[in-house]
Amino acid sequence: MINTKKKGSSVERVLQIVEVLASSQRPMSVSDLAETLEVPVPSMYRLLDQLHGLGFVQLDLPGKVTCGKRMYKLAMNLLQNSDFKNERLAILNELSAKIGETVGIAILQDLDVVYIDRVMSDWPLQIFLPSGTHVPVWASASGKLLLAQLSDEKCKRIVEKMSIHALTTNTQTDKKQLMQTITTTRDTEVGVDNEEFIPGMVACAVMIPNNDQQAFATVFTHGPTVRKTLEELLSYVPLMQEAANELSVIFNQNYE
């Protein structure tokens, strides 16, 4: 663990701020950041003002500090270009071969699900959703599963403020019904998309464990209904959970 209280240059302080915010489970106040890093509050305001101007941090309504869009973009680039990408793809390739359908890894960015890794099946008929694709959180298996990781109260606040529209005849646009689905997802620990995003496509997802911290990524699979029913796809959940545990080791290992 890095000693965040170690005194250093302004550059080191900026990097420590980024590191603390990235690892925090919730927005932090300026005073909390200043206390954590043993930096005077006026100096912390100055550093945060610079980071805010560069897009690395942002302020929420109560004035607390969270990661900015540029920090999210940096994280996405690291995930896409890290030394561990080949290891992740090897696990996904094996999983895709066992299931016979496309598989991938997804994370939550703002209120969209983003595919960071994806291995396509060998079938001629494909649903083309490449890495980097943004999917509405309310209409995807991974989205509902990632929302289910939040507290019920926080999840309700988010759902109540979301602008939800129908993408297919199966899309859940009733917010009470969506909350019931998210509650069920929290219990089963399996996200489901029953042709809610694309007509004729079904999907399911499981969380990738993150040690003792909140999980932030899923393993998903999807395919056309002409090839597999949702029930058939769900039969592969144990295999997906095995792959998720293997991916957890990769996500949590240290660079050498």
Side-chain angles (χ1 to χ4, degrees):
M1 180 181 294
I2 294 176
N3 181 6
T4 57
K5 295 185 178 181
K6 180 182 177 182
K7 298 187 181 298
S9 66
S10 295
V11 172
E12 185 177 1
R13 285 301 188 202
V14 166
L15 292 175
Q16 288 173 343
I17 291 170
V18 169
E19 182 181 41
V20 169
L21 288 174
S23 61
S24 176
Q25 297 296 317
R26 56 184 61 85
M28 297 183 68
S29 68
V30 177
S31 59
D32 285 342
L33 274 170
E35 182 179 356
T36 299
L37 296 174
E38 292 188 349
V39 174
V41 172
S43 297
M44 180 58 68
Y45 271 108
R46 177 177 54 80
L47 292 169
L48 289 173
D49 185 60
Q50 294 174 353
L51 286 169
H52 182 263
L54 293 170
F56 281 101
V57 303
Q58 61 187 17
L59 301 178
D60 62 12
L61 289 178
K64 293 191 175 182
V65 187
T66 60
C67 297
K69 290 185 177 180
R70 196 165 175 185
M71 200 185 298
Y72 281 114
K73 185 176 180 180
L74 174 63
M76 286 292 294
N77 288 337
L78 285 171
L79 286 170
Q80 289 294 325
N81 300 311
S82 75
D83 292 338
F84 301 139
K85 183 176 178 67
N86 289 337
E87 294 181 61
R88 300 197 306 265
L89 290 177
I91 294 171
L92 292 176
N93 268 301
E94 182 180 41
L95 180 62
S96 179
K98 291 177 179 177
I99 296 178
E101 296 296 344
T102 296
V103 302
I105 298 173
I107 62 172
L108 194 62
Q109 182 178 344
D110 297 329
L111 289 180
D112 283 342
V113 171
V114 182
Y115 295 161
I116 63 170
D117 286 324
R118 191 166 181 269
V119 172
M120 297 179 68
S121 67
D122 293 330
W123 296 100
L125 176 62
Q126 297 282 358
I127 298 171
F128 186 65
L129 297 170
S131 297
T133 294
H134 286 237
V135 179
V137 67
W138 70 85
S140 66
S142 291
K144 284 174 281 188
L145 184 57
L146 287 162
L147 285 176
Q149 305 310 301
L150 307 176
S151 68
D152 194 55
E153 186 175 317
K154 185 174 183 178
C155 190
K156 283 180 181 178
R157 290 199 302 267
I158 292 174
V159 170
E160 285 174 1
K161 298 299 181 183
M162 281 196 307
S163 177
I164 298 176
H165 59 274
L167 300 168
T168 73
T169 55
N170 283 7
T171 305
Q172 293 181 324
T173 56
D174 183 277
K175 294 183 178 181
K176 288 185 178 179
Q177 182 185 27
L178 178 59
M179 276 304 305
Q180 290 174 353
T181 300
I182 292 171
T183 299
T184 300
T185 301
R186 188 179 290 122
D187 293 335
T188 63
E189 299 183 340
V190 178
V192 171
D193 168 10
N194 187 19
E195 299 187 65
E196 298 161 52
F197 176 46
I198 296 176
M201 185 188 86
V202 290
C204 62
V206 300
M207 293 304 304
I208 299 175
N210 190 28
N211 292 338
D212 58 348
Q213 299 183 45
Q214 182 174 307
F216 65 91
T218 70
V219 173
F220 68 86
T221 184
H222 61 66
T225 54
V226 295
R227 205 156 53 223
K228 281 189 177 67
T229 65
L230 179 58
E231 289 70 26
E232 289 173 325
L233 212 56
L234 287 170
S235 69
Y236 295 103
V237 163
L239 288 176
M240 295 171 66
Q241 290 170 331
E242 289 179 15
N245 288 330
E246 293 178 26
L247 288 165
S248 176
V249 174
I250 295 173
F251 275 120
N252 286 285
Q253 66 181 309
N254 295 320
Y255 287 93
E256 295 181 353

